[in-house]
Amino acid sequence: MTPELRQLRYFVAVADATSFTRAAAGLHIAQQSLSQQITALERTLGARLFDRDARGARLTAVGRLFLPEARAVLARAEEAVATLGRAVRGEIGDVRLVFLATTANYLLPPVVRAARERFPELAVTTAEASIAELVDGLREGRFDLAFTRPPLVGGLTSRTLLTEEVCAVLPAEHPLAGRASLKLADLADEPWVLTPRAAWEPWHRSYDDDFAAAGFTPRVVQRAATVQGLLGLVAAGVGVTRLARSSHSLRRTGVAFVPLDGDFARTELVWVPGNDNPAVRTITDVAVELAAATDLTQAG
């Protein structure tokens, strides 16, 4: 039978005090209870640990050998409890982050850097994914937390991290490129380049609603799977598109970003309800704090 940690603590207390009376006072228990626990410990171990006499309690030879082992067990137990506390607080462990490709450029560096500086024993692994891969990975448990545009699907919990302007993206020499702002309806007669509908149907249904509210159906002349691809097509003069302002960091030449009146994009932290990884809260807190203190769309 294995001794209880409580019995080991009592044993060490008596050994340090060399007295059952003083040890009981320090432990705030009755001397009789302490004596009974030490006797039970000796019975469990099959060895006498103390010589008891009128002068107090002296360790036997076996007791002297056992004392450092008991101290080591108690110290290791305290370390285990402390480690558990840090894990519960999300200070250690691991967290698997996934970033939408269009947010990774500006969100990943400051958030991951800050998390590693503040919590060096928290292992942060990252992956870049399309919106479909991101949602599937969260639902299947391959990722803990995502930084993404709103997925517009159920079964996920989200928190808005930041909101930014949505812009019309035009070739640099386009007649409207010098405008301070535009309405979506101003682009009704333009050729458009967009992502494939199959990339994420919920987003395209939202786009359809926006275009319908502006009074037109866009004439889509070409599609590209990535933001970089869309920017390249716009720079080449193939058409116009519509992107969050932060996408400008992916291409500085050949395109003009003009804000669209009343049009904004949100970046959200998204996770599956019931995820019990405490590090999700840690990363969320770091990201929210950074978002409140700085413009993360300019922080990469």
Side-chain angles (χ1 to χ4, degrees):
M1 184 181 297
T2 303
E4 299 177 9
L5 288 176
R6 178 183 57 173
Q7 292 173 329
L8 295 181
R9 283 195 293 270
Y10 290 173
F11 164 68
V12 171
V14 174
D16 288 343
T18 67
S19 164
F20 279 83
T21 302
R22 289 192 294 271
L27 293 167
H28 304 290
I29 63 173
Q31 182 176 335
Q32 183 179 2
S33 296
L34 175 59
S35 181
Q36 290 172 347
Q37 288 297 320
I38 295 299
T39 299
L41 174 61
E42 291 175 323
R43 187 180 304 117
T44 297
L45 297 174
R48 186 165 50 84
L49 301 174
F50 292 101
D51 286 325
R52 301 159 173 87
D53 56 33
R55 292 178 297 177
R58 291 178 292 105
L59 287 168
T60 64
V62 171
R64 288 193 297 273
L65 290 172
F66 185 58
L67 181 57
E69 302 298 331
R71 291 192 195 278
V73 170
L74 292 173
R76 183 65 190 92
E78 290 179 1
E79 291 174 4
V81 171
T83 297
L84 176 63
R86 296 179 65 200
V88 168
R89 293 190 297 272
E91 298 171 0
I92 60 175
D94 63 85
V95 61
R96 300 160 298 173
L97 304 184
V98 61
F99 287 76
L100 190 68
T102 52
T103 66
N105 185 59
Y106 62 92
L107 269 178
L108 187 148
V111 171
V112 173
R113 181 169 56 246
R116 287 179 169 163
E117 287 174 354
R118 298 180 195 180
F119 307 102
E121 294 183 64
L122 177 61
V124 181
T125 58
T126 63
E128 184 178 296
S130 68
I131 181 63
E133 294 167 336
L134 181 151
V135 171
D136 287 344
L138 287 173
R139 287 173 169 171
E140 294 168 5
R142 289 183 282 111
F143 304 125
D144 294 305
L145 182 65
F147 289 4
T148 179
R149 305 295 180 200
L152 304 181
V153 293
L156 299 172
T157 299
S158 64
R159 178 170 180 174
T160 298
L161 182 60
L162 57 90
T163 302
E164 60 181 307
E165 291 178 316
V166 172
C167 296
V169 187
L170 315 171
E173 303 304 321
H174 193 283
L176 298 176
R179 295 273 293 272
S181 66
L182 293 167
K183 292 181 171 57
L184 189 58
D186 294 333
L187 305 174
D189 297 327
E190 298 290 335
W192 281 78
V193 293
L194 297 173
T195 55
R197 289 195 72 93
W200 196 242
E201 184 64 29
W203 281 354
H204 280 273
R205 288 196 294 268
S206 178
Y207 300 159
D208 292 344
D209 292 342
D210 292 341
F211 287 126
F216 72 100
T217 298
R219 178 168 56 90
V220 181
V221 296
Q222 198 163 333
R223 296 185 183 271
T226 66
V227 170
Q228 291 90 335
L230 291 175
L231 290 169
L233 291 174
V234 172
V238 175
V240 303
T241 195
R242 175 178 172 237
L243 295 171
R245 179 183 285 279
S246 57
S247 300
H248 198 193
S249 64
L250 300 176
R251 187 180 185 96
R252 298 291 186 180
T253 61
V255 296
F257 277 63
V258 181
L260 288 167
D261 290 343
D263 202 349
F264 298 94
R266 300 195 312 275
T267 299
E268 295 184 339
L269 298 126
V270 179
W271 62 95
V272 174
N275 186 312
D276 62 358
N277 185 347
V280 168
R281 185 181 65 250
T282 298
I283 298 300
T284 299
D285 290 345
V286 168
V288 168
E289 181 181 329
L290 285 175
T294 185
D295 182 358
L296 286 178
T297 65
Q298 304 294 324

